[in-house]
Amino acid sequence: TLKAPCNPSKIVCVGLNYRDHAEEMKDKIPEEPVLFIKPSTAVIGPKESIIYPKMSNQVDYEAELAVIIKDKIKDIEEDHVKEHILGYTCFNDVTARDLQKKDGQWTRAKSFDTFAPFGPTIVTNIDPSNLNIQLLLNDQIKQNSNTNQLIFSVEKLVSFISKIMTLYPGDVIATGTPSGVGPMNVGDKVAVKIEKIGILENNVIN
């Protein structure tokens, strides 16, 4: 079994970081990155199964580009970020949407075991600012965008987060999802496909 390509101490996720998704959600463009954290216990790798939690009635996919941190960093300026990035991979920010709405904050909805699939590999030396990104549900395209729609760049995100918390080698930053988010059901196959990186595929089980 191909496991997740690293073991993060934490996964820092960014909400509302695509212009098309902000429009879809009828939300204002944020002035600063909106952050939340997924626990390391949510991590799974390619081909591993996403478990549909019994307390939720709507579990959504969210295709994202993930940044993998190379070394311990704190208070990094944007023009020094690239030297501290190990590489990039595919990420699915699985979300119990009904619980997110119910709670009014995101911890429970984002933190179930298996809710942080990423992989299949970490790709280095690519430009993260212009990559096609797609989500396929049972081989049908549901999300189709490009990282040129990011509101906050990778450099901005890593610098901003490093000024809040120390980042460690293998930590993951999930950079937000484009428009087209929607529900998955038990038995579905879900795949995140990012240009120059590959395909992250998982099945949904109960």
Side-chain angles (χ1 to χ4, degrees), residues 2 34 48 58 63 65 67 76 78 89 98 109-110 115 124 160 168 202:
L2 187 63
V34 178
E48 293 190 272
Q58 184 181 345
L65 172 73
V67 181
I76 299 296
E78 289 182 42
T89 195
D98 55 339
K110 300 282 192 176
F115 270 27
T124 59
F160 182 80
Y168 288 102
N202 302 93

Side-chain angles (χ1 to χ4, degrees), residues 8-189:
S9 74
K10 55 187 168 295
I11 303 157
V12 186
C13 302
V14 184
L16 283 179
N17 197 32
Y18 277 78
R19 291 176 179 85
D20 53 6
H21 184 50
E23 291 170 6
E24 173 186 52
M25 302 296 286
K26 296 181 174 61
D27 282 319
K28 294 180 180 178
I29 300 296
E31 294 181 4
E32 293 182 310
V34 178
L35 305 180
F36 60 94
I37 287 181
K38 283 180 178 262
S40 59
T41 47
V43 169
I44 58 172
K47 303 290 187 180
E48 293 190 272
S49 296
I50 297 166
I51 299 172
Y52 203 114
K54 292 178 180 175
M55 66 175 67
S56 176
N57 293 311
Q58 184 181 345
V59 175
D60 285 7
Y61 53 77
E62 294 188 16
E64 308 202 6
L65 172 73
V67 181
I68 313 299
I69 300 301
K70 182 165 68 175
D71 45 21
K72 182 180 176 180
I73 55 173
K74 175 66 177 169
D75 294 324
I76 299 296
E77 297 300 330
E78 289 182 42
D79 55 356
H80 291 292
V81 162
K82 286 185 179 179
E83 61 200 78
H84 299 287
I85 291 176
L86 178 63
Y88 305 90
T89 195
C90 304
F91 189 91
N92 189 348
D93 175 17
V94 182
T95 304
R97 192 70 66 201
D98 55 339
L99 302 182
Q100 183 182 24
K101 294 175 181 176
K102 181 179 181 180
D103 291 351
Q105 53 87 14
W106 303 356
T107 302
R108 175 166 64 143
K110 300 282 192 176
S111 298
F112 287 94
D113 290 355
T114 75
F115 270 27
F118 69 95
T121 57
I122 299 170
V123 178
T124 59
N125 299 319
I126 60 172
D127 179 3
S129 67
N130 187 22
L131 299 171
N132 292 324
I133 179 170
Q134 293 181 324
L135 187 291
L136 291 87
L137 185 68
N138 301 320
D139 299 318
Q140 292 189 331
I141 297 172
K142 297 294 185 179
Q143 291 182 278
N144 190 16
S145 190
N146 189 289
T147 57
N148 62 22
Q149 291 292 304
L150 285 171
I151 297 167
F152 302 108
S153 68
V154 166
E155 291 80 11
K156 172 67 176 179
L157 293 174
V158 175
S159 174
F160 182 80
I161 293 165
S162 79
K163 293 175 181 179
I164 301 165
M165 65 191 81
T166 300
L167 293 168
Y168 288 102
D171 279 356
V172 174
I173 296 174
T175 58
T177 195
S179 63
V181 299
M184 306 179 289
N185 294 300
V186 172
D188 283 347
K189 178 178 72 173

